[in-house]
Amino acid sequence: MTWKLKPGVKWSDGSPFTADDVVFTWAYCEAPGGGCAQAAKFTGVKSVEALDPLTVKVTFTAPTPYPYQAFVGATSPILRKAQFQDCLGPKAPGCTAANFGPIGTGPFEVKAFKPNDSIVYIANENFRDPDKPAFASVNLKGGGDALSAARAVLETGECDYAWNIQIEPEVLKGMVDAGKGNALTAFGSYVERIDLNRTAVDAALGEKRSTLEGGPHPALSDPSVRKALSLAIDRDVIVEAGYGVAGKPTCNIIPGPEIYVSTANDWCLKPDVAAANKLLDDAGWKLGPDTVRAKNGVKLSFQLQTSTNSVRQATQALLKDMWSQIGVAVELRNIAASVFFGGDPSSPDTFQKFYADVQMYTNFFEGTDPQAYLSGWLCDKIPSPKNGWQGANYARYCDADYDKMIATLSKTQAPNDRAKLVKALNDKLVNDGVVIPLVYRGLTSAYSNRLAGVRQNAWDSELWNIADWSRAK
């Protein structure tokens, strides 16, 4: 596949953007001992070459019906070679200056970054459209919570935009009714789900904790336990309590587009506590005097971690109650979102490290083809100390049949045949108990009446058209 780069594009420091930067990005993501979060985007890529300064050739290992993955979309950015060339492999996490201040070609450039606090951007004087952006600077504030972010836009008016405001529907309605702004909701591929850790998480395992080398999880390696946990959940209650019209109960990790939506897992839409209890009884998990099931000295007692958010903490409480009805004890833990999703390889509290039994969060795929997203559950995408805890296979799932199905999907061209395979992969993840889908989430964000040009897009970055944002007249 040959890409022609737009002539005259410059990095924000004024240097030319060339094919060498594209080639380097691939090398960076494929470097042994390192890699990057977008590695799944390069599945099936054999080589990336610069034919000339404005021409890039991507060669695949086999015919590739959907090649629009590598270098496409907000989660597959191109890095400036001159800035990151000394950050390959194990050196990547230590390149603080580059990681905190990446040079790009977009409408804004990073001026200052304070971890867990804020990023200040200023207009990129070298942006390819000389008439944009409309703003001289942007202050992106982080480290807080969804409720305070929504209030900053819809009540106090101190901010113009708040992303992903996951708050109770009645609370949001009250804020919007104040008249200072509005909220947009768009459904794309966002699913609130639970990951079930396939590996042991005992702290005594040291560096082997939550890795394949540490061995299987003593309880969650049992498929009966995994299915029972899903059967006991009343998804309607969770949606009503925390999402309202911005959520729908789901049994699928691929909720759209419609051509990919499976109906094979609809059994999960109706909770069945009796069936869940029978599954555990038949599997030998006996109810003890403390009302917690156990087998061979192993108790069904799990730690459920998620990010700090009022909706997620309410959902945690509901799950704890629902699972108590089948003899499962739950310890609840919430972690600041900036830490949980932060990806710091030195932190024990990230969702990549997953030092808990089960964890809950939302994830999504970019664009409308889920192949790259589904490739995130390949065996070689498991985060571990060896790859700097990179990779999207947070549940530590490794199945040769699944890997073969992904390989088949990568060669399948006919849309209906691709859809059939996507459904089968979705069903395998759900039925194997890799993930427990809960809610098909609409992405909800708030914007001030002072802001114009915002166009919600749940299939890409919300800031996809920020170059067109301006003050409302």
Side-chain angles (χ1 to χ4, degrees), residues 175-186:
M175 291 183 179
V176 171
D177 287 346
K180 291 187 177 181
N182 213 327
L184 293 169
T185 298

Side-chain angles (χ1 to χ4, degrees), residues 19-20 23 48-53 55-57:
D20 285 341
V23 174
V48 181
E49 306 168 77
L51 302 186
D52 62 49
T55 308
V56 177
K57 179 183 177 182

Side-chain angles (χ1 to χ4, degrees), residues 195-201 209-210 217 220 302-306 331 333 335 340 348 350 353-359:
D195 279 345
L196 305 177
N197 202 331
R198 292 299 183 94
T199 60
V201 296
R209 183 183 185 184
S210 201
H217 193 285
L220 292 173
F302 304 132
Q303 184 184 79
L304 167 59
Q305 70 178 20
T306 189
E331 174 194 348
R333 182 167 185 252
I335 303 163
F340 187 64
T350 66
K353 258 184 188 173
F354 197 4
Y355 281 171
D357 305 289
V358 288
Q359 64 182 4

Side-chain angles (χ1 to χ4, degrees), residues 29-174:
C29 286
E30 296 293 298
C36 64
Q38 57 164 304
K41 291 269 194 171
F42 295 100
T43 301
V45 174
K46 181 180 180 181
S47 64
V48 181
E49 306 168 77
L51 302 186
D52 62 49
L54 294 178
T55 308
V56 177
K57 179 183 177 182
V58 180
T59 302
F60 298 88
T61 56
T64 305
Y66 192 83
Y68 306 106
Q69 298 180 54
F71 314 118
V72 177
T75 59
S76 191
I78 296 168
L79 303 178
R80 181 173 178 266
K81 179 180 178 180
Q83 186 179 27
F84 286 90
Q85 60 187 350
D86 295 325
C87 303
L88 292 174
K91 296 180 181 178
C95 288
T96 304
N99 292 330
F100 285 8
I103 294 171
T105 63
F108 296 96
E109 60 178 299
V110 177
K111 181 181 180 182
F113 174 54
K114 296 180 181 179
N116 302 324
D117 182 71
S118 63
I119 308 176
V120 177
Y121 298 91
I122 57 174
N124 176 9
E125 295 180 353
N126 293 296
F127 187 52
R128 56 187 174 271
D129 188 334
D131 297 323
K132 298 176 182 179
F135 293 100
S137 64
V138 173
N139 186 356
L140 184 63
K141 182 72 175 174
D145 58 82
L147 183 61
S148 60
R151 282 176 173 159
V153 174
L154 301 174
E155 289 187 348
T156 67
E158 58 191 297
C159 293
D160 295 297
Y161 189 83
W163 170 77
N164 190 20
I165 49 172
Q166 187 180 10
I167 59 177
E168 292 80 356
E170 65 274 10
V171 175
L172 178 59
K173 183 180 183 302

Side-chain angles (χ1 to χ4, degrees), residues 234-457:
D234 191 331
R235 289 159 174 81
D236 286 325
V237 170
I238 291 174
V239 168
E240 182 180 356
Y243 296 88
V245 296
K248 305 172 186 178
T250 187
C251 302
N252 295 314
I253 203 66
I254 305 294
E258 190 63 32
I259 190 174
Y260 300 125
V261 179
S262 172
T263 57
N265 311 301
D266 286 356
W267 53 265
C268 94
L269 292 175
K270 183 179 179 181
D272 195 333
V273 173
N277 275 312
K278 186 177 187 307
L279 261 179
L280 295 174
D281 287 338
D282 294 345
W285 294 93
K286 304 299 182 183
L287 203 61
D290 57 356
T291 71
V292 178
R293 292 180 181 269
K295 179 181 178 181
N296 299 327
V298 176
K299 284 193 172 187
L300 293 187
S301 180
F302 304 132
Q303 184 184 79
L304 167 59
Q305 70 178 20
T306 189
S307 64
T308 303
N309 174 284
S310 60
V311 172
R312 289 203 168 113
Q313 270 66 83
T315 301
Q316 279 183 308
L318 289 170
L319 289 169
K320 181 174 183 177
D321 177 67
M322 293 169 187
W323 285 345
S324 71
Q325 297 173 42
I326 61 171
V328 175
V330 181
E331 174 194 348
L332 303 181
R333 182 167 185 252
N334 68 83
I335 303 163
S338 57
V339 175
F340 187 64
F341 298 114
D344 182 353
S346 66
S347 171
D349 298 321
T350 66
F351 74 142
Q352 294 97 337
K353 258 184 188 173
F354 197 4
Y355 281 171
D357 305 289
V358 288
Q359 64 182 4
M360 181 175 64
Y361 60 97
T362 288
N363 209 338
F364 70 104
F365 58 90
E366 205 172 57
T368 55
D369 187 280
Q371 179 181 318
Y373 180 66
L374 288 167
S375 296
W377 282 278
L378 290 169
C379 293
D380 64 359
K381 298 299 184 291
I382 295 175
S384 73
K386 295 178 181 178
N387 60 19
W389 298 101
Q390 295 290 335
N393 192 346
Y394 310 128
R396 283 61 167 148
Y397 176 63
C398 185
D399 185 279
D401 290 337
Y402 185 90
D403 283 20
K404 290 177 183 177
M405 291 168 69
I406 288 289
T408 302
L409 178 64
S410 70
K411 303 172 186 177
T412 302
Q413 182 172 359
N416 288 337
D417 292 340
R418 285 182 67 78
K420 185 177 179 180
L421 273 167
V422 167
K423 290 179 182 179
L425 287 158
N426 171 89
D427 296 346
K428 188 164 179 58
L429 290 172
V430 174
N431 290 320
D432 283 0
V434 183
V435 292
I436 299 177
L438 297 175
V439 182
Y440 179 20
R441 282 186 55 195
L443 189 63
T444 301
S445 297
Y447 66 98
S448 165
N449 292 334
R450 302 189 303 267
L451 195 61
V454 177
R455 293 175 61 194
Q456 183 70 295
N457 182 359

